[in-house]
Amino acid sequence: MDVPFTASGRALLDRLAAYEPRIRAEAERNDRAGVLSAEVFKGFAEDGIMGATVPAELGGLGVSRLHDVAVALKRLAESDPSAALALHVQFSRGLTLTYEWRYGAPHARILAERLLRSMATGVAVVCGAVKDAPGVVTELAPDGAGGWLLSGRKTLVSLAPLGTHFFVHAQRRVDVGPTRFVVPLVRRDTPGFAVLDDSGGLGMRASGTVDIVFDRCPVPADEILVRAPEPAGGRNDAVLAGHTVSSITMLGIYAGAAQAARDLAVGTAARRSADPPAAVRTLIADIDARLYSLKASAVAALVNADVHNDDLGADPAERGRAMMTPFQCAKQMVNRLAAEVVDGCLTVVGGAAYAGGHPLGRLYRDVRAGWFMQPYTYVDGVEYLSGQALGIDRDNDYVSLRAARDQVHY
């Protein structure tokens, strides 16, 4: 999980390499302050990194292999997982917008091309907002003049302090007919829109992960994507392909955090003694075995996703499941093994690593975030995988599942 498959992937790694020393040097300070490095991301924009997953035809680097995106995120996460998580947001939007540009409805293609070209030049920073804040249902309602108004609040939106455009998962309510899922595009300067300064997470503190609020934000009709033809509560496993593409490369972030912890622990043990105690050697062997298993699981899922991502002739629902199931198997293993690797590294280094400012303490908090990342959280991931194994008929779309739960309290 260290070498890209494509020339574009290698070009991306070369550009990121110039930023690694600065990102590593600033990681502790940014984590303590809970701030995203705007200067680093400005450099990313100027050097074309923010357009890495934009097709070359539209001015980007053209990195399209999910494996290669994950490798780049792993390398960056070895310096700071928070920076990698924030950059993942832009990479993910490039991948999903490319699909819309190639295969979407006519108005979606136009919208996607405009954004992709702006991402390639470093002008557009495009975020995704999926999770509603507790007790809130983000809704899109008619404004009575042919347009729409968006109201609600989203939580855990990474890269938001630098975002220029936000794709917001919302429910569209009308007087007649069922509620449907839509994804309106909200510009940062839209009236009624606000990015809150409420970063206070336990981990990934320098990823710019905050809440965003919509107070009757006007949205033009031609800047709304319809997620799926089914109404809220409908079952459509075809959407699992898109969920996989938008999230599977995050496996690289947790692999990078685990790698950084391993290298730090091994380096510390080697400096202390040319012949460490047997218990330390045992721990290091176990750490390396777990890290190997973690990376092997991630690579297998990423290669599988790349293969199925290109197979547009397959049955859409089967294709979705064929991408999501290995992803979730790998996610379960990566989340578990990354935490175990960092925990073992803490034991190797000893009490010094338990200090608040020690890199291992930060890495341990960062890897724990993987359990809460969609799709799916640990609980929903267990539901999905066990349902697939047992043939249980259930709604596998985590956006739909969450909406159905919210309806209980609506």
Side-chain angles (χ1 to χ4, degrees):
M1 200 177 182
D2 299 311
V3 181
F5 292 152
T6 66
S8 60
R10 292 189 290 273
L12 173 57
L13 274 191
D14 289 343
R15 297 191 190 195
L16 283 172
Y19 291 89
E20 289 170 10
R22 175 176 180 175
I23 292 171
R24 187 177 299 112
E26 295 178 352
E28 180 184 342
R29 182 180 66 205
N30 291 341
D31 176 78
R32 188 184 307 114
V35 297
L36 177 67
S37 176
E39 287 300 312
V40 164
F41 276 80
K42 180 182 178 182
F44 285 170
E46 293 172 349
D47 286 345
I49 293 171
M50 296 297 274
T53 55
V54 173
E57 307 96 297
L58 301 181
L61 287 182
V63 183
S64 60
R65 298 290 90 181
L66 298 169
H67 171 272
D68 288 4
V69 175
V71 169
L73 292 173
K74 173 184 178 291
R75 182 71 62 82
L76 185 56
E78 290 177 36
S79 298
D80 183 7
S82 285
L85 176 60
L87 187 56
H88 153 77
V89 172
Q90 181 85 342
F91 285 175
S92 176
R93 298 290 77 73
L95 293 168
T96 54
L97 283 170
T98 295
Y99 182 89
E100 294 291 346
W101 175 60
R102 297 190 189 280
Y103 309 109
H107 87 279
R109 293 184 184 184
I110 294 171
L111 177 61
E113 179 172 344
R114 185 170 75 245
L115 283 173
L116 287 167
R117 289 188 183 279
S118 293
M119 292 169 70
T121 60
V123 172
V125 177
V126 187
C127 301
V130 178
K131 183 176 176 57
D132 280 327
V136 176
V137 176
T138 301
E139 297 181 344
L140 194 69
D143 66 0
W148 297 85
L149 297 172
L150 182 69
S151 297
R153 177 169 175 164
K154 293 292 184 178
T155 191
L156 300 176
V157 182
S158 299
L159 191 59
L162 303 182
T164 61
H165 298 75
F166 297 79
F167 277 109
V168 183
H169 288 251
Q171 298 183 43
R172 186 176 66 188
R173 296 182 181 276
V174 293
D175 293 336
V176 178
T179 297
R180 294 187 180 276
F181 293 119
V182 291
V183 186
L185 177 66
V186 179
R187 302 166 189 268
R188 192 181 188 91
D189 59 358
T190 301
F193 174 74
V195 176
L196 303 185
D197 184 15
D198 62 347
S199 176
L202 180 64
M204 298 293 188
R205 287 177 46 79
S207 61
T209 301
V210 296
D211 284 14
I212 58 178
V213 177
F214 321 94
D215 183 10
R216 295 175 60 82
C217 294
V219 181
D222 61 353
E223 296 197 350
I224 298 173
L225 301 179
V226 178
R227 273 196 69 253
E230 286 76 11
R235 301 186 181 190
N236 178 18
D237 282 353
V239 302
L240 301 182
H243 291 336
T244 300
V245 169
S246 67
S247 299
I248 192 171
T249 60
M250 281 195 289
L251 296 178
I253 299 172
Y254 300 101
Q259 182 73 58
R262 179 267 178 201
D263 292 346
L264 193 156
V266 170
T268 300
R271 286 192 299 272
R272 286 174 176 170
S273 172
D275 185 18
V280 172
R281 298 199 306 272
T282 300
L283 280 168
I284 289 174
D286 184 70
I287 286 166
D288 272 1
R290 291 174 191 270
L291 183 57
Y292 179 86
S293 298
L294 181 162
K295 292 192 289 187
S297 180
V299 168
L302 287 158
V303 171
N304 172 80
D306 274 326
V307 170
H308 287 288
N309 196 32
D310 291 336
D311 186 12
L312 298 179
D315 174 83
E318 291 181 3
R319 173 173 172 263
R321 292 188 292 271
M323 294 174 72
M324 180 60 77
T325 301
F327 170 28
Q328 288 308 305
C329 289
K331 187 174 185 297
Q332 292 278 328
M333 296 307 299
V334 168
N335 290 160
R336 179 178 298 115
L337 291 172
E340 291 174 356
V341 165
V342 181
D343 185 69
C345 293
L346 283 164
T347 304
V348 168
V349 174
Y354 208 62
H358 196 281
L360 281 177
R362 171 171 51 82
L363 289 169
Y364 189 77
R365 288 185 284 107
D366 285 348
V367 296
R368 289 294 293 132
W371 287 115
F372 312 111
M373 296 291 183
Q374 296 286 359
Y376 302 94
T377 64
Y378 173 74
V379 173
D380 287 339
V382 167
E383 289 292 304
Y384 172 80
L385 287 174
S386 61
Q388 291 299 296
L390 298 171
I392 299 173
D393 183 20
R394 65 188 297 273
D395 185 359
N396 294 314
D397 180 359
Y398 75 96
V399 176
S400 177
L401 283 169
R402 181 179 293 122
R405 293 168 185 162
D406 290 342
Q407 293 299 323
V408 175
H409 306 288
Y410 180 74

